[in-house]
Amino acid sequence: MSTSKKVLVVGAGIGGLGAGAALAQRGFETDIVEIKPAPDVYGVGINQPGNSLRALDRIGVLDEVLAVGFQFDGWDFHDADGNLVAPVRTRLGDDRVPPNNGLSRRDLHDILIRAADRAGARTTYGLTVDEIRCDADAAHVRFSDGREDDYDVVAAFDGVKSVHRERLFEGRHRQAYTGFVIWRVTIPRPADVVRGAVFQSVGEKAGYIPLSQEHMYLFNVTPEDRSVRVDKADAPRLLRERLHSFGGPVAEIRDALTDDDDVVYSPLYEVMLPAPWWVDRVVICGDAAHACAPHLTQGAAMALEDAVVLADELSRDVSVHEALDAFTVRRYPRAKLVNDASRAILDAEMAVTPETLPMALEGMRAHLAENMGHIDDVLRQPA
Ligand SMILES: Cc1cc2nc3c(=O)[nH]c(=O)nc-3n(C[C@H](O)[C@H](O)[C@H](O)COP(=O)(O)OP(=O)(O)OC[C@H]3O[C@@H](n4cnc5c(N)ncnc54)[C@H](O)[C@@H]3O)c2cc1C
């Protein structure tokens, strides 16, 4: 194994922290720079499916994420009134990892920050990269505080609105607004909520994911004009209005929401960077390369898989270009599958009209478990 490389990771999100930990654990001198002045993650939850847990296991934090999370075996799909249509059991578990683990984003972040620190990665907040010049010897980096340093590789995990993707590919591959947003709020978990649940209405869907013994989060995906801006104070009322078509368990939750609830409103963007994801010594990873709709709960999973595969490939005794090429070859098809499938699910769910609703529910009943199983079977394979 070559341990001589020095790597700069841009972005201390889930992928960047995971990469910082994975690279430093393999002996690379690793710096992480994060533009935010301090760690700051909004307080909702996230599901980590089995393939993501395998990546977290490679970073050595599986026990920690399982200890704070809620393990569950899959998803129950319902109509808008809560009648069960299709139970779907996730096929991503094995004797080491459960099929799914819901947890708070803050907990996941804290665990990854500690892992990167423990491994020896140096993280600096309130700092970004102003310029990168590459030649045969190094990537020469100028930081926003005026300092300069040289690296063998720069890995940009700077999120869906990536400045580095913009710079490297001269604006040719911008993120696109999907036309849909997601509303999320953390609420108490009733004892009988032991797996994810989805409720299909006309042109929108709602659902919830268990996060811990105490909490779960409710989500609602709705079509919204891109110009809609939402004041934090108005979000609980707007969410209650959006949920008016639901009966059953979603209606019970809706009716218990108050104006004090912390509702998070997020427009959904996507991007799929064509291969190769690198130029010279700079590689684009995580959401910056392949942000997807959240419908398979696979975005962070893909970013964490990128992190461990990048560390694997850079550990080989090959040139930087060969390593970055091998990285893209391993990652592109998997990320593309997740992007395409997530978008197809989003489109199918949002296209449901009063006339097509019975057919849509019948299609779910007949095919959903099998279709989701096919995707799981691919994602069960090593990243
Ligand atoms: C509504 C929703 C629900 C989701 N649910 C799930 C789920 O259940 N399971 C799942 O696996 N995934 C889920 N995802 C996807 C997941 O959140 C992302 O895929 C994941 O956060 C990507 O990690 P990342 O590190 O690539 O990017 P990010 O987490 O976005 O991190 C990017 C970091 O880079 C920093 N940064 C940006 N620009 C710069 C710069 N110029 N210099 C330095 N730093 C910079 C940012 O401040 C940020 O900290 C969901 C996404 C959404 C929108």
Side-chain angles (χ1 to χ4, degrees):
M1 181 180 96
S2 161
T3 55
S4 60
K5 292 189 186 87
K6 183 174 167 189
V7 183
L8 174 66
V9 177
V10 184
I14 296 171
L17 289 166
L23 290 159
Q25 283 165 357
R26 284 162 180 75
F28 297 125
E29 190 180 342
T30 307
D31 289 328
I32 307 174
V33 292
E34 165 59 49
I35 200 165
K36 289 184 201 158
D40 170 27
V41 189
Y42 46 84
V44 282
I46 188 162
N47 178 41
Q48 292 297 272
N51 57 313
S52 193
L53 296 170
R54 272 188 276 281
L56 290 162
D57 196 16
R58 293 280 313 278
I59 300 168
V61 296
L62 178 63
D63 292 344
E64 282 178 82
V65 295
L66 295 183
V68 295
F70 190 100
Q71 289 87 63
F72 59 98
D73 63 1
W75 304 83
D76 284 339
F77 287 75
H78 308 81
D79 67 16
D81 289 327
N83 300 301
L84 182 63
V85 175
V88 175
R89 297 299 165 257
T90 307
R91 295 189 204 161
L92 291 172
D94 60 24
D95 53 6
R96 190 154 169 79
V97 302
N100 296 283
N101 182 60
L103 77 168
S104 117
R105 278 185 182 258
R106 285 192 180 127
D107 284 346
L108 178 59
H109 230 75
D110 289 346
I111 289 167
L112 289 170
I113 287 171
R114 287 198 298 272
D117 278 355
R118 268 198 309 271
R122 291 176 301 247
T123 307
T124 309
Y125 289 87
L127 189 67
T128 187
V129 169
D130 276 354
E131 192 188 27
I132 305 173
R133 278 183 307 104
C134 294
D135 60 26
D137 299 326
H140 308 284
V141 175
R142 185 163 48 80
F143 294 101
S144 51
D145 62 0
R147 274 189 312 113
E148 296 188 4
D149 207 344
D150 290 346
Y151 293 89
D152 294 292
V153 176
V154 177
F157 280 86
D158 54 345
V160 60
K161 295 181 181 169
S162 169
V163 166
H164 287 84
R165 184 188 64 232
E166 277 294 292
R167 288 179 187 157
L168 212 58
F169 297 97
E170 295 166 349
R172 290 194 299 279
H173 307 292
R174 296 230 157 104
Q175 74 281 2
Y177 176 54
T178 58
F180 301 94
V181 308
I182 185 162
W183 309 73
R184 288 170 290 170
V185 59
T186 304
I187 52 177
R189 181 184 69 85
D192 62 348
V193 172
V194 293
R195 59 175 62 97
V198 176
F199 301 83
Q200 179 67 52
S201 185
V202 172
E204 66 172 317
K205 81 163 180 186
Y208 41 73
I209 299 179
L211 299 178
S212 67
Q213 292 304 320
E214 295 78 30
H215 292 112
M216 64 181 196
Y217 89 77
L218 171 82
F219 62 85
N220 182 207
V221 183
T222 61
E224 305 288 345
D225 192 289
R226 68 184 335 156
S227 63
V228 168
R229 298 185 75 87
V230 169
D231 277 344
K232 195 86 184 140
D234 294 334
R237 175 180 57 79
L238 293 171
L239 173 57
R240 286 197 302 270
E241 286 172 13
R242 301 292 187 283
L243 290 170
H244 77 274
S245 68
F246 292 90
V250 175
E252 282 174 33
I253 296 169
R254 174 195 65 214
D255 294 345
L257 288 177
T258 73
D259 287 346
D260 294 332
D261 278 310
D262 183 15
V263 173
V264 177
Y265 166 91
S266 312
L268 295 175
Y269 291 91
E270 59 184 2
V271 67
M272 188 69 222
L273 186 60
W277 293 344
W278 61 276
V279 175
D280 289 332
R281 293 171 175 274
V282 183
V283 61
I284 308 295
C285 313
D287 266 16
H290 47 70
C292 57
H295 289 60
L296 293 171
T297 66
Q298 279 288 343
M302 290 299 107
L304 287 163
E305 287 186 356
D306 283 357
V308 294
V309 171
L310 182 65
D312 282 351
E313 293 300 337
L314 289 176
S315 299
R316 294 187 204 291
D317 196 10
V318 295
S319 71
V320 164
H321 290 181
E322 285 168 312
L324 297 183
D325 222 28
F327 167 74
T328 313
V329 166
R330 279 176 70 182
R331 297 304 303 149
Y332 180 83
R334 210 166 156 98
K336 176 92 170 96
L337 169 79
V338 166
N339 263 51
D340 288 350
S342 302
R343 180 68 208 216
I345 297 168
L346 170 71
D347 286 341
E349 289 174 347
M350 297 297 108
V352 171
T353 64
E355 294 72 33
T356 62
L357 182 61
M359 196 168 63
L361 295 175
E362 192 43 47
M364 278 166 129
R365 189 173 287 117
H367 303 299
L368 194 61
E370 191 190 340
N371 290 346
M372 299 285 275
H374 288 322
I375 298 169
D376 287 352
D377 288 344
V378 175
L379 297 178
R380 278 173 69 87
Q381 305 303 317

